[in-house]
Amino acid sequence: MKISNFFSIVAIVLAAITVSSCNNRKFQVDGTITDAKDSTLYFENMSLNGPVVVDSIKLDADGTFLFKSDAGEAPEFYRLRIADQIINVSIDSTETITVKAAYPSMAYQYEISGSEDCSKIKELALLQMRLQGQINAIAQNPDLGVDAMNDSIDRVMQAYKTNVKMNYIYKEPMKAYAYFALFQTVRLGNTVSLIFNPRSSAEDIKAFAAVATSWDTYYPDAERGKNLHNIAIEGMKDVRIIRNKMAQTLDASKINTSGVLDIVLQDNKGVTRKLTDLKGKVVFLDFHLFSGEGSTKRIMMLRDLYNKYHAAGFEIYQVSIDPDEHFWKTQTAALPWVSVRDENGVNSRYLISYNVQQLPTFYLLGRDGVVYKRDVQIKDIDADVKALLSRGG
């Protein structure tokens, strides 16, 4: 199975698709926006193709407004807008949401009631504004050089992402506010960028995948969930390409003189196992996917190899990248060799270090811990194992 089969592009903007409702369920957004007499207040749906005006009203002196529309089966995103002042709201079924604000400070000074999601979105919007202020202050600091400025911006960005992931995204990934958090942006110089970037960050991809999985469960037919899956899958592909370009790959022509690259992972009993601890043995280093096609046949082959040569100093160190930990533990419970799993799955740095392009892939290591050959160089595994065992050191 090619690793590239895991992957797939989706350009990203905060968005969704207007869901036509045939169940006659309605929602409404009402309230007042004062100090905005004769201004036009737009009520816009944030679709996958950009903002779509649903309704609008020219405000009078008291600023009252009321918008109604059909409610969909999954959470939907809208915004109230006067010029460039925006209040984001999410709609889940038949809610009534009330907003009170004053122009022109409505984007950051408003009251909202009737929806926990909308209250959380307000928190996120204020956090994002604070982050943007920090970034602007760093960028405008004349005492910082370019490197120091970039390092400072990176630190505040990482702190923000950690906070939002733990307290908003991973806390309740099925919620509309978790989805909203994924698509927040900041301005860096003249560029508007996503805070969570699935095009270059494996950790950010995990956040997208977590929300996508939850939406699959709670809203199985939602276009947003499908969109998130496409983003996560394509992000995995992009990150893989970047890592392959940056990583120092193993040259097949020099592999017999290359030193071993250590692997440190927990086995199926929770014990940390290091590949280098097996120095002194002939090691079959196997990168494997138990949920992959042909896994059972391969395990039977490895059992035969292990039974024939283990007593003479042969060991198997098998690295699983299966996403389901319970499934992996079940599959490896009765195996006699070292079975470890990398929870990072296809984003495992060990796959990059060993230039693994497809699964399964294996390497044969001598007693000195040096890589002897990889699978594509081996024609007779028994002969090579015997040759390495006979060397004795």
Side-chain angles (χ1 to χ4, degrees):
M1 179 189 63
K2 289 283 185 182
I3 292 182
S4 58
N5 289 342
F6 277 100
F7 311 126
S8 45
I9 194 168
V10 176
I12 321 168
V13 196
L14 169 60
I17 193 165
T18 306
V19 179
S20 298
S21 175
C22 57
N23 55 18
N24 296 318
R25 296 192 305 168
K26 300 285 185 180
F27 71 86
Q28 73 176 45
V29 179
D30 59 29
T32 57
I33 297 180
T34 58
D35 301 329
K37 186 177 183 297
D38 296 330
S39 296
T40 300
L41 174 65
Y42 294 94
F43 185 57
E44 299 172 329
N45 172 234
M46 297 304 296
S47 78
L48 283 170
N49 297 313
V52 176
V53 176
V54 177
D55 202 352
S56 64
I57 185 174
K58 188 173 184 179
L59 296 174
D60 57 21
D62 64 9
T64 59
F65 65 88
L66 171 64
F67 298 117
K68 293 183 178 181
S69 189
D70 295 326
E73 297 297 326
E76 195 53 71
F77 293 87
Y78 297 85
R79 69 182 189 183
L80 299 167
R81 179 178 66 84
I82 299 177
D84 60 352
Q85 291 291 301
I86 293 169
I87 297 174
N88 290 293
V89 298
S90 69
I91 302 298
D92 188 358
S93 70
T94 54
E95 294 173 310
T96 296
I97 295 170
T98 300
V99 176
K100 295 181 180 180
Y103 188 76
S105 60
M106 57 183 275
Y108 56 92
Q109 290 183 330
Y110 66 93
E111 297 177 10
I112 192 162
S113 59
S115 166
E116 179 191 6
D117 274 309
C118 287
S119 296
K120 293 291 187 180
I121 285 173
K122 176 184 176 181
E123 292 177 15
L124 286 163
L126 295 178
L127 286 172
Q128 185 274 335
M129 291 178 192
R130 190 177 306 147
L131 172 65
Q132 186 67 67
Q134 290 177 298
I135 291 173
N136 292 345
I138 292 169
Q140 295 165 9
N141 187 340
D143 297 328
L144 294 178
V146 174
D147 290 342
M149 179 187 72
N150 290 335
D151 287 344
S152 296
I153 290 175
D154 183 64
R155 281 197 298 272
V156 298
M157 285 277 285
Q158 292 305 318
Y160 180 90
K161 290 165 70 170
T162 298
N163 174 36
V164 170
K165 279 191 290 188
M166 293 301 103
N167 295 309
Y168 295 90
I169 296 175
Y170 292 142
K171 186 175 182 180
E172 292 183 297
M174 79 295 295
K175 295 289 191 176
Y177 69 79
Y179 185 102
F180 177 86
L182 293 175
F183 294 97
Q184 288 190 293
T185 61
V186 290
R187 180 175 290 278
L188 302 170
N190 296 321
T191 304
V192 176
S193 304
L194 285 166
I195 295 173
F196 293 94
N197 189 352
R199 298 288 300 277
S200 61
S201 169
E203 289 302 313
D204 291 354
I205 292 170
K206 291 180 183 178
F208 276 82
V211 178
T213 301
S214 288
W215 279 55
D216 276 350
T217 301
Y218 288 86
Y219 319 107
D221 298 321
E223 289 296 321
R224 289 186 182 276
K226 298 174 185 177
N227 186 46
L228 287 176
H229 271 297
N230 289 337
I231 291 169
I233 291 170
E234 181 55 29
M236 291 177 190
K237 175 182 176 182
D238 290 342
V239 168
R240 181 72 176 159
I241 291 172
I242 292 170
R243 285 180 168 178
N244 278 339
K245 287 180 179 179
M246 294 177 63
Q248 179 180 0
T249 60
L250 294 178
D251 185 341
S253 67
K254 300 177 181 178
I255 200 164
N256 60 338
T257 61
S258 300
V260 66
L261 300 172
D262 202 10
I263 298 176
V264 183
L265 292 168
Q266 287 191 347
D267 67 13
N268 48 13
K269 298 179 178 61
V271 178
T272 298
R273 306 298 293 268
K274 297 175 66 175
L275 177 60
T276 51
D277 286 343
L278 299 179
K279 190 173 181 179
K281 297 179 181 291
V282 173
V283 179
F284 187 101
L285 171 59
D286 190 44
F287 293 93
H288 190 71
L289 186 69
F290 284 89
S291 57
E293 184 178 356
S295 173
T296 301
K297 183 178 180 181
R298 181 180 178 81
I299 294 302
M300 291 175 65
M301 181 275 290
L302 290 180
R303 273 189 176 275
D304 181 58
L305 201 64
Y306 185 87
N307 291 339
K308 282 195 291 186
Y309 301 114
H310 178 64
F314 176 77
E315 186 58 83
I316 296 173
Y317 187 98
Q318 190 167 49
V319 181
S320 164
I321 65 162
D322 285 87
D324 188 327
E325 182 180 10
H326 178 72
F327 173 78
W328 163 70
K329 286 184 175 180
T330 300
Q331 295 297 306
T332 60
L335 297 182
W337 54 77
V338 179
S339 298
V340 298
R341 171 179 170 270
D342 193 331
E343 63 181 8
N344 293 313
V346 294
N347 294 312
S348 169
R349 62 188 176 92
Y350 299 120
L351 296 182
I352 297 168
S353 298
Y354 278 88
N355 194 23
V356 176
Q357 299 297 321
Q358 64 181 33
L359 294 171
T361 287
F362 74 84
Y363 289 87
L364 204 55
L365 281 61
R367 293 183 187 272
D368 55 0
V370 173
V371 174
Y372 171 67
K373 288 182 181 179
R374 68 180 300 166
D375 48 6
V376 294
Q377 299 172 298
I378 296 175
K379 296 181 180 179
D380 186 338
I381 184 64
D382 283 86
D384 281 310
V385 169
K386 287 177 181 178
L388 287 174
L389 287 171
S390 67
R391 292 182 180 182

